[in-house]
Amino acid sequence: MYATSSARYIDEMGYAVNPGSHIRIYNVDRGWKVQKNILAKNLRWTITDTSLSPDQRYLVYASMSPIVHIVNAGSAETESLANVTVITTNATPPAPTNSINIAIALNATKYYRAIDIKKLDFHDMCQSFLSDVNTVRFADETSHLIYSGSDDSFCKPAGVLMGHLEGITFIDTRGDGLYFISNGKDQTFKLWDIRKMSSNVTGNPGYRSYEWDYRWMDYPPQAKDLTHPCDQSVATYRGHSVLRTLIRCYFSPAFSTGQKYIYTGSHHACVYIYDLVSGAQVATLKHHKSPLRDCSWHPFHTTLVSSSWDGDVVKWEFAGSGDTPASSTKKRVWTRHFYEHYL
């Protein structure tokens, strides 16, 4: 489905990105027929993230630019090659139609911003476009709200959520419109409650006294113990490493685990699984030899797949009874199955 930098379990609809700057949505129940072929606009090097709404009407994507694109995935035509409109500062928003795809330029600070698709306020969102958006996600089953994360450190739904000290690489929502998690280049991932947001940015940490680039440098030792003076996150989880690529993190599935866990890839080439409430690291899955960007827990079974820059796709199966990963001190909690290798 994806290249080996990304691996996802999917339901009846699948989507993939190819090197030719196209996003394709497939109908899995119809023999993987291409349902939508989207030509990505404002492409910068790569498409960093995509999200299909639960009602399958919209797809959003980001591409290392300060723009989030919203595509009308439910329109009748298969080809979507020229109907993306980019909204920029002082631009007049186009009249909404059933065929138009809307690209929204986001307020550029390390925010998560919630966008109500039914009440798009273009002028409010078209300000100061400075930071690249790395991740986009639909907030809940209504498909009306979108969260986005950029290369600054704040989370901004309708206000501001502060806590990260570096850029945000990925977000995942619990699906209730209230809680979400974020992975950050400050080597943490955080749990957020949007009800804790404030209206203004306060307490600038002012810690950056060095030059650092996560793509090729190790995280500075002097920054590892720093915290934001106005951290509004519910919890912070540490142990994995966010370097070289946009490492992803997720809630475990509701059906098989009750979303009791959160898990993430790592530059350390492992999958890390944490207890959501206690923050304890309950499992570390080791196989890969290179950065592990993405992993995916099956929605109904206690199996997980991981993919890495080493070219391996690995399936993991929980060897115990029930849905609880045991302590990481028990070495054979998860059994490993070599699934596929790309040369």
Side-chain angles (χ1 to χ4, degrees):
M1 188 59 197
Y2 282 95
T4 56
S5 62
S6 180
R8 305 294 310 141
Y9 278 109
I10 58 176
D11 202 347
E12 71 274 11
M13 296 291 289
Y15 48 95
V17 178
N18 74 4
S21 73
H22 285 257
I23 303 170
R24 292 193 174 99
I25 302 176
Y26 296 87
N27 190 317
V28 179
D29 288 341
R30 292 186 173 181
W32 292 80
K33 178 182 178 181
V34 176
Q35 184 158 317
K36 198 75 171 176
N37 182 30
I38 301 160
L39 176 63
K41 299 295 184 179
N42 301 100
L43 186 68
R44 280 192 185 177
W45 183 60
T46 187
I47 295 170
T48 54
D49 200 13
T50 59
S51 179
L52 186 66
S53 66
D55 62 9
Q56 300 173 6
R57 294 178 59 196
Y58 301 101
L59 181 136
V60 292
Y61 68 90
S63 176
M64 287 199 169
S65 72
I67 297 172
V68 168
H69 297 269
I70 305 177
V71 178
N72 183 1
S75 59
E77 66 272 13
T78 299
E79 299 297 320
S80 177
L81 305 179
N83 60 341
V84 175
T85 301
V86 177
I87 309 300
T88 59
T89 305
N90 299 323
T92 301
T97 69
N98 290 331
S99 62
I100 198 166
N101 297 336
I102 303 171
I104 298 177
L106 292 180
N107 183 313
T109 41
K110 296 176 186 175
Y111 296 160
Y112 293 122
R113 188 176 187 116
I115 305 167
D116 190 331
I117 293 178
K118 288 188 173 180
K119 300 177 181 178
L120 290 175
D121 186 341
F122 295 93
H123 295 293
D124 177 57
M125 288 182 285
C126 298
Q127 322 167 15
S128 182
F129 315 131
L130 300 175
S131 296
D132 294 344
V133 177
N134 296 323
T135 179
V136 287
R137 192 67 56 224
F138 282 91
D140 54 31
E141 294 297 319
T142 67
S143 302
H144 296 162
L145 294 178
I146 302 167
Y147 294 149
S148 68
S150 75
D151 263 342
D152 291 329
S153 62
F154 303 125
C155 304
K156 188 174 183 181
V160 176
L161 289 169
M162 296 168 285
H164 277 299
L165 297 172
E166 298 286 349
I168 295 159
T169 66
F170 195 74
I171 57 178
D172 188 39
T173 71
R174 196 178 182 186
D176 55 10
L178 297 176
Y179 293 98
F180 64 96
I181 54 175
S182 60
N183 235 346
K185 297 175 185 176
D186 55 6
Q187 314 305 298
T188 71
F189 69 104
K190 291 177 175 288
L191 174 67
W192 304 91
D193 181 343
I194 66 170
R195 293 169 295 187
K196 293 181 176 289
M197 64 189 176
S198 58
S199 57
N200 296 302
V201 176
T202 59
N204 186 344
Y207 72 96
R208 180 64 78 85
S209 59
Y210 49 83
E211 292 297 325
W212 176 68
D213 191 321
Y214 87 108
R215 292 172 296 180
W216 59 278
M217 301 171 68
D218 290 336
Y219 195 58
Q222 64 269 37
K224 290 182 178 179
D225 296 323
L226 292 176
T227 58
H228 195 289
C230 299
D231 190 350
Q232 296 169 295
S233 62
V234 176
T236 300
Y237 309 86
R238 301 177 185 271
H240 69 306
S241 177
V242 182
L243 296 170
R244 310 298 183 267
T245 187
L246 302 176
I247 302 292
R248 299 180 171 189
C249 62
Y250 302 94
F251 287 95
S252 65
F255 181 86
S256 58
T257 71
Q259 296 183 310
K260 292 190 294 186
Y261 308 104
I262 49 181
Y263 63 103
T264 179
S266 177
H267 175 253
H268 293 150
C270 301
V271 177
Y272 290 87
I273 303 175
Y274 297 83
D275 184 276
L276 177 66
V277 176
S278 70
Q281 193 178 113
V282 298
T284 304
L285 312 184
K286 299 180 180 180
H287 165 87
H288 295 286
K289 307 300 182 185
S290 299
L292 194 160
R293 182 185 188 190
D294 204 9
C295 44
S296 179
W297 201 312
H298 194 283
F300 306 116
H301 305 294
T302 49
T303 61
L304 186 150
V305 292
S306 59
S307 62
S308 166
W309 285 4
D310 62 12
D312 289 356
V313 175
V314 176
K315 181 175 75 172
W316 306 85
E317 290 185 346
F318 178 52
S321 59
D323 64 357
T324 306
S327 167
S328 59
T329 59
K330 297 182 179 180
K331 300 299 184 181
R332 300 186 66 82
V333 172
W334 291 79
T335 57
R336 180 184 66 200
H337 300 275
F338 183 69
Y339 186 63
E340 194 167 351
H341 183 76
Y342 293 89
L343 297 176

